[in-house]
Structures are given as C-alpha cells and as structure tokens.
Amino acid sequence: MSCGERRRAATESIGGIWVGDSISHVSARQHVHVAVAGSHCGRIAIGFAARAGVSSVLLHCAGVGKDGAGIGGLAVAEQVGLAAGAVDHFSARIGSGNDVYCHGVLGYVNSSALELGVRPGMTVREAAGLMVLGQSRVQGAGVSQRSGIPQARRVPAHKYARR
C-alpha cells in the first residue's frame, strides 16, 4: 500500500498485512497475518480479529475513553494469543485504516507485541512489518501459530506498555 496516493478500496491486503476501515471486514478467507484498521481497540474489535484468524492486530486507541474502553481489547488479545497495539489518537483518524497505517504511531501495545519487538512510539508500518517477520520466523518452531509467542513465556494479560 502506498501512503502517498488516494486509496480506492475500503480494504487492501499486501504481503500478509490487511488494511481496512473496520476490523469487522477482515475474514479468515483472506489469510491475513496482521490486520490494521481504523476501529477502536475495544474488546469487541479483538473478537472480530480473533474470529478472522489473524496473528496480530493494530487498531486505534479512540482516546482511551472511560475505564480504558478504547484499549480494553489489548488484554483480551493477550488472552486469545494475539499480538496487539493501538495508535495514539493524535496520530491518526479513527475509522480510517489507511490513516492508521500511513500516519499512526503506537501509543499502547500488549506483551505479545513487545515480544515481537513492537514498541510504543513506533509507526504502524514499522510495527506491522515486525509482526509479519515475527510470524514467519516462528511458524513450525514449536511456538503458538496464532501469536508467535512461546507458550511458556506468555506474560500476564493485564500487563501492557504505554508510551
């Protein structure tokens, strides 16, 4: 996906990275490693990603919101074996997967994402690339196929990093 041109489609998939305005549009038929969407990173959004079989997901923090609802899915993602991150709401427009992919800067990540080298302050493009590389390195290496994190080294779901 080129960030310099106007996007024609609501979703695009290149090199195992799917980009769309809503995480509800990704499907298991697309064989996606990393889903990037303009959706909030709440619990329900992670459910859509998990049902689609993605290994990693990058969403929007939606200003975090009351009781952390905008990033509440980070802990859920950890529980279901997904590496996940949420962009800072000042870096990209909510509802625009293209803006999240092209301009998003991560504000929050879960422990599974940290294990793949993804850090707060990193661009979404850089993080997505690391997530794809991490997934391809671990397939068949005796680790979880969904998250790329060795089962014995999982970190408790409530621990995630904030920039």
Side-chain angles (χ1 to χ4, degrees):
M1 165 180 283
S2 173
C3 290
E5 8 179 287
R6 184 90 169 129
R7 201 171 52 135
R8 290 181 188 87
T11 63
E12 292 187 41
S13 184
I14 297 172
I17 301 170
W18 176 91
V19 178
D21 292 339
S22 174
I23 193 66
S24 66
H25 295 157
V26 70
S27 94
R29 294 184 305 250
Q30 295 164 313
H31 305 289
V32 173
H33 290 298
V34 180
V36 178
S39 301
H40 61 75
C41 192
R43 298 166 60 97
I44 193 166
I46 298 304
F48 285 115
R51 279 192 291 280
V54 303
S55 55
S56 304
V57 63
L58 297 167
L59 302 169
H60 199 286
C61 83
V64 180
K66 184 177 181 183
D67 298 326
I71 57 169
L74 291 174
V76 174
E78 189 73 37
Q79 291 169 346
V80 299
L82 295 176
V87 301
D88 185 271
H89 61 282
F90 288 112
S91 69
R93 289 186 307 273
I94 192 165
S96 172
N98 187 54
D99 204 50
V100 168
Y101 181 77
C102 292
H103 304 289
V105 176
L106 292 173
Y108 304 85
V109 300
N110 70 2
S111 297
S112 293
L114 287 170
E115 291 280 338
L116 294 175
V118 175
R119 301 284 183 263
M122 185 177 281
T123 67
V124 167
R125 286 183 286 179
E126 184 180 10
L130 284 174
M131 290 169 153
V132 168
L133 286 174
Q135 178 64 18
S136 65
R137 284 186 192 142
V138 300
Q139 286 186 343
V143 297
S144 167
Q145 291 291 320
R146 290 189 57 82
S147 69
I149 308 301
Q151 295 293 342
R153 296 190 56 202
R154 291 204 187 238
V155 180
H158 66 280
K159 296 195 177 190
Y160 56 87
R162 166 77 167 113
R163 155 169 70 144

